[in-house]
Amino acid sequence: MKIALCSSMVPFAKGGYRNVVDWLALVLQEHGHHVETVYLPQSNNVDNLFRQLGAYRWIHLEDADRIICFRPQAHLIPHPHKILWFIHHIREFYDLWDHPEYRLVPDNAKSRGIRNALHSVDTRALQEARKIFTSSRVISDRLKKSNDIESEVLYPPIFQSERFSNQGMNDELLCVCRMAPHKRQHLLVEAMAYVKTSVRLRLCGPSSPEYAEKLNSLIRSYHLQGRVTIDDRWIGEEEKVQLFGSCFAAAYLPRDEDFYGYPTLEAAHSSKALLTTTDAGAVSEFVVNGHNGCVAEPVPQEIASSIDALYNDRQATQAMGDHARDQINKMGISWSHVLERLLS
């Protein structure tokens, strides 16, 4: 088939939202399909929001047998055979609306008007799709609650997962993802002030200057120099293989995340236990406390206790890592399943 993969992107900002599109394109091509990837730039300026919605609405891809749409607002593109693999809403106007610490827009008459109009536009565009898949139960629940739309969960795999393997255990707890307030690397730094073992923490990923300074300020305040390492940069795929392969456990503590996150799968494919929190959203769809990882309350002391437990009992931690790898198959996370559902 001729398949167009349609999504939005933030210029010069890498992330998992682009991986799922680019990796699916490669897999489809390996199976003989003709693929075009269509990205439109996304601005965080709310005043430009509806201009961007209009831009998507004017795109016509008549030559495509079907289109598959991902990140908002690509689902506004019209097509008679439109499939959605819906990643998330524009979260400031949906699930983050009641959380001003993460919401980037003020709660005023203008923003409320934009929010109401956006919900209406989204619902109409979503109803045009032949099928709607989501990356987690969390997203499916949000679609039902906010737009009264039914959907099917289709978990995203990672590309060439065979690259990842367990290469032993050093003394580092590893966190690899974009560093941002809602990813909550600061909770891990704060927890390190209460850790009783000789564990070290490595934080990897690009950050804003403001959040990087917050993390460095916490490290100085708690006198954690030498115990916490910050790699403020994009981490390449091969480097991630090495980092996950050698850590003793991994951590991923986002606030109400949209799906389990690629760091969760990267750790699991490396047979490493994952530390997360009770409020991490869809991460808990993969991590079962005490079985394939630890799920702690989102407070530094509780997180520190879990870190010490993982570090002290290496045998139990390794068993959790083995169970994490098994969990991938139990949940049917594979590209063959993805193609079966998206092309059905």
Side-chain angles (χ1 to χ4, degrees):
M1 286 188 290
K2 295 179 181 178
I3 303 172
L5 306 183
C6 308
S7 193
S8 61
M9 51 86 81
V10 179
F12 309 108
K14 298 181 181 180
Y17 74 92
R18 295 181 77 164
N19 285 343
V20 67
V21 179
D22 297 341
W23 290 346
L24 177 60
L26 292 172
V27 173
L28 286 168
Q29 288 167 350
E30 288 175 356
H31 284 75
H33 298 285
H34 300 282
V35 180
E36 288 284 0
T37 301
V38 180
Y39 280 116
L40 261 68
Q42 181 79 26
S43 169
N44 289 327
N45 186 339
V46 174
D47 292 334
N48 292 332
L49 177 60
F50 285 94
R51 292 190 184 95
Q52 293 185 65
L53 302 190
Y56 282 102
R57 204 60 176 169
W58 281 100
I59 292 177
H60 293 283
L61 299 165
E62 299 94 338
D63 292 337
D65 296 316
R66 71 177 59 189
I67 67 172
I68 302 174
C69 303
F70 301 82
R71 191 172 184 266
Q73 297 293 93
H75 58 275
L76 271 83
I77 298 175
H79 194 274
H81 201 137
K82 176 165 62 177
I83 306 296
L84 306 186
W85 198 0
F86 194 74
I87 294 177
H88 58 71
H89 294 94
I90 296 181
R91 297 187 65 188
E92 289 83 356
F93 294 105
Y94 281 89
D95 58 291
L96 295 182
W97 180 259
D98 294 324
H99 300 280
E101 67 273 28
Y102 301 111
R103 190 184 67 220
L104 301 178
V105 295
D107 184 357
N108 56 26
K110 176 182 176 180
S111 295
R112 288 191 292 272
I114 292 173
R115 180 173 182 259
N116 292 337
L118 180 63
H119 282 219
S120 177
V121 168
D122 279 346
T123 298
R124 182 169 181 176
L126 290 163
Q127 290 171 339
E128 296 172 350
R130 290 277 192 99
K131 295 180 182 178
I132 301 179
F133 301 94
T134 68
S135 57
S136 69
R137 291 198 302 271
V138 167
I139 300 299
S140 286
D141 290 344
R142 289 179 192 165
L143 279 172
K144 181 62 179 177
K145 177 181 178 181
S146 299
N147 309 100
D148 197 24
I149 297 288
E150 299 288 348
S151 57
E152 176 184 332
V153 177
L154 184 62
Y155 291 117
I158 59 176
F159 189 61
Q160 295 178 339
S161 59
E162 66 276 4
R163 294 175 295 129
F164 291 88
S165 65
N166 190 326
Q167 302 168 26
M169 284 186 170
N170 58 25
D171 60 354
E172 285 189 343
L173 177 69
L174 177 69
C175 178
V176 181
C177 66
R178 180 167 56 91
M179 288 189 268
H182 68 283
K183 298 293 186 180
R184 300 193 302 188
Q185 285 87 353
H186 60 274
L187 268 181
L188 286 169
V189 176
E190 291 166 352
M192 286 295 291
Y194 299 95
V195 165
K196 299 176 181 178
T197 58
S198 57
V199 62
R200 293 184 298 136
L201 172 65
R202 181 175 293 273
L203 305 177
C204 300
S207 177
S208 68
E210 296 79 13
Y211 193 60
E213 176 51 35
K214 176 178 180 176
L215 294 176
N216 282 303
S217 178
L218 286 171
I219 290 171
R220 293 190 297 267
S221 297
Y222 292 123
H223 306 290
L224 294 171
Q225 298 93 330
R227 297 191 61 197
V228 178
T229 300
I230 295 181
D231 287 335
D232 186 356
R233 59 188 173 85
W234 180 256
I235 306 298
E237 290 298 310
E238 292 310 311
E239 187 175 2
K240 280 196 290 185
V241 169
Q242 297 300 318
L243 289 168
F244 278 102
S246 58
C247 68
F248 81 87
Y252 187 48
L253 278 61
R255 168 65 171 77
D256 195 22
E257 188 60 285
D258 303 308
F259 87 119
Y260 47 59
Y262 288 120
T264 302
L265 277 193
E266 289 160 348
H269 280 293
S270 304
S271 298
K272 299 300 172 72
L274 188 83
L275 169 64
T276 189
T277 53
T278 54
D279 63 346
V283 185
S284 63
E285 295 178 31
F286 189 95
V287 181
V288 179
N289 187 43
H291 177 67
N292 58 5
C294 287
V295 183
E297 292 296 324
V299 293
Q301 295 89 337
E302 294 297 321
I303 295 169
S305 179
S306 294
I307 293 173
D308 283 335
L310 288 167
Y311 188 83
N312 277 326
D313 194 342
R314 297 296 184 99
Q315 186 174 358
T317 300
Q318 184 55 69
M320 290 183 194
D322 294 337
H323 292 150
R325 195 176 187 94
D326 294 340
Q327 183 76 357
I328 297 169
N329 293 328
K330 289 180 180 178
M331 294 176 64
I333 302 171
S334 69
W335 286 110
S336 60
H337 180 63
V338 165
L339 294 191
E340 176 188 340
R341 299 307 301 135
L342 290 179
L343 304 183
S344 61

